[in-house]
Amino acid sequence: MSTSVDRFDERARRTVERVGQTVVHRGELLRHPVYTRVLHWLVAIAFILALLTGFAIYSPWTYRFLAPLFGGGPRTRLLHPWFGLFFTIFFFFQFLNWFTPMIWNKDDTRWMKRIKQYSTNEEKVEPESVGFFNGGQKLYFWAIVISAVLFLITGILMWFDNLTGRWVVAVSYVIHDIAGLIMLAGFIIHIYEGTAAQPGTFRAMTNGTVTERWAWTHHPGWYRAVTGRDPRESYEREQRRMADRERAMEEWDRDQDARDQA
Ligand code: HEM
């Protein structure tokens, strides 16, 4: 696929990489380069603005505190389609950027079958079949792709409602809201997974790096691909190191107690 859009994407990637920088320290791995991070946060800002203005339009009374933030009801209505448009444009470039690592495979279907064990943190490390993204992350990505297409089509139909029939607008409203709710549900889970549920993940989208420990725990297949090392062996070595450290500290404590008593 070598279209002019692709070439533009490649140029943008190179330009942004020249402006920004990612520092990778010892024991860390590069997870997301500057271009990916810039796109991610542009998508996130546009999405949140579209969401807030969307809420204010959907239920002006319930969300009456929102419209004043955007300069009142009419201006909120005016801004909403623009935020939505920026969201789909930025996400389109993220789509090009992530298309390859987001391709669904048999391992992802297997991952989905054990989603309960994953969400309850039953296993300390993920199976080695988990590569750069796991099945849940890919599902979220494809849910956004489908919702964003529906969002764009129905949004345009509602934006230019004088050119479309009344029933077209009515159906568009329903589809637009359903797509919005799907993305909202995914967004809430996404924030939880990207912060509290998995400490050490958020920095992947700020610094651009993660610790090796994070990599062999959550994405062992990717860890092996970039380091050439066995993730299970690295995990067990780390466990042994921690146990040795604990033993050394206990010994030191005992020595101190014995010295105090002498
Ligand atoms: C504002 C709060 C947000 C936070 C804290 C956040 C955090 C993150 C983090 C840390 C990652 C990297 C995960 C990894 O490398 O494994 C990520 C990836 C991603 N983000 Fe966000 N994000 C936010 C908003 C959004 C929004 C609004 C969207 C789109 C509507 C979005 C779409 C994605 C996608 C598709 C990925 C890749 C797949 C995944 O990791 O789930 N993010 N995000």
Side-chain angles (χ1 to χ4, degrees):
M1 189 168 59
S2 177
T3 60
S4 52
V5 171
D6 251 355
R7 280 197 298 277
F8 172 81
D9 190 49
E10 197 46 52
R11 249 199 330 271
R13 192 195 304 259
R14 275 203 302 271
T15 310
V16 173
E17 293 302 331
R18 265 201 304 271
V19 176
Q21 211 187 38
T22 311
V23 182
V24 186
H25 297 286
R26 241 183 87 190
E28 293 178 352
L29 299 174
L30 170 68
R31 177 81 177 155
H32 297 296
V34 183
Y35 180 61
T36 303
R37 272 138 58 201
V38 168
L39 277 182
H40 176 270
W41 292 117
L42 287 175
V43 168
I45 291 167
F47 179 82
I48 291 166
L49 290 174
L51 193 72
L52 295 178
T53 48
F55 276 141
I57 297 169
Y58 180 73
S59 184
W61 175 247
T62 317
Y63 301 104
R64 58 190 175 281
F65 55 94
L66 286 176
L69 297 178
F70 296 95
R75 183 157 308 160
T76 304
R77 205 166 261 281
L78 189 89
L79 287 173
H80 176 74
W82 287 103
F83 293 146
L85 194 64
F86 284 127
F87 162 69
T88 43
I89 293 170
F90 295 142
F91 190 73
F92 174 68
F93 286 102
Q94 194 64 290
F95 170 79
L96 292 180
N97 187 31
W98 271 342
F99 178 78
T100 308
M102 288 294 185
I103 292 173
W104 194 267
N105 60 41
K106 276 204 263 10
D107 291 328
D108 301 316
T109 311
R110 227 171 292 139
W111 188 93
M112 290 307 296
K113 288 188 184 143
R114 40 174 292 282
I115 195 157
K116 196 163 159 259
Q117 286 99 304
Y118 172 81
S119 45
T120 51
N121 271 336
E122 229 168 74
E123 281 155 31
K124 290 271 178 290
V125 289
E126 283 280 83
E128 212 184 309
S129 54
V130 178
F132 193 84
F133 287 123
N134 64 37
Q137 291 176 298
K138 291 186 185 180
L139 182 71
Y140 178 50
F141 175 80
W142 289 107
I144 300 173
V145 173
I146 296 169
S147 304
V149 171
L150 293 175
F151 233 41
L152 184 67
I153 297 170
T154 53
I156 288 174
L157 291 173
M158 290 190 290
W159 204 356
F160 302 102
D161 56 354
N162 51 336
L163 302 176
T164 50
R166 212 195 262 188
W167 72 269
V168 174
V169 174
V171 172
S172 296
Y173 260 102
V174 178
I175 299 174
H176 201 77
D177 292 351
I178 292 173
L181 285 177
I182 292 172
M183 281 202 273
L184 178 61
F187 176 54
I188 293 168
I189 299 170
H190 178 66
I191 293 190
Y192 174 64
E193 288 295 330
T195 55
Q198 294 184 357
T201 307
F202 186 61
R203 53 176 289 177
M205 270 305 164
T206 49
N207 303 5
T209 60
V210 287
T211 60
E212 289 190 357
R213 188 202 181 107
W214 182 94
W216 76 60
T217 307
H218 301 293
H219 299 272
W222 172 63
Y223 173 80
R224 186 192 278 278
V226 289
T227 62
R229 295 198 291 270
D230 183 338
R232 179 54 63 173
E233 220 173 270
S234 301
Y235 166 70
E236 281 164 5
R237 193 172 358 99
E238 177 70 5
Q239 292 296 97
R240 281 196 300 276
R241 201 182 63 83
M242 299 285 278
D244 287 349
R245 219 175 92 165
E246 195 115 316
R247 257 196 309 277
M249 277 164 68
E250 277 169 17
E251 232 164 76
W252 190 83
D253 272 350
R254 265 199 308 275
D255 280 358
Q256 278 301 100
D257 286 350
R259 228 170 281 143
D260 288 348
Q261 278 163 15

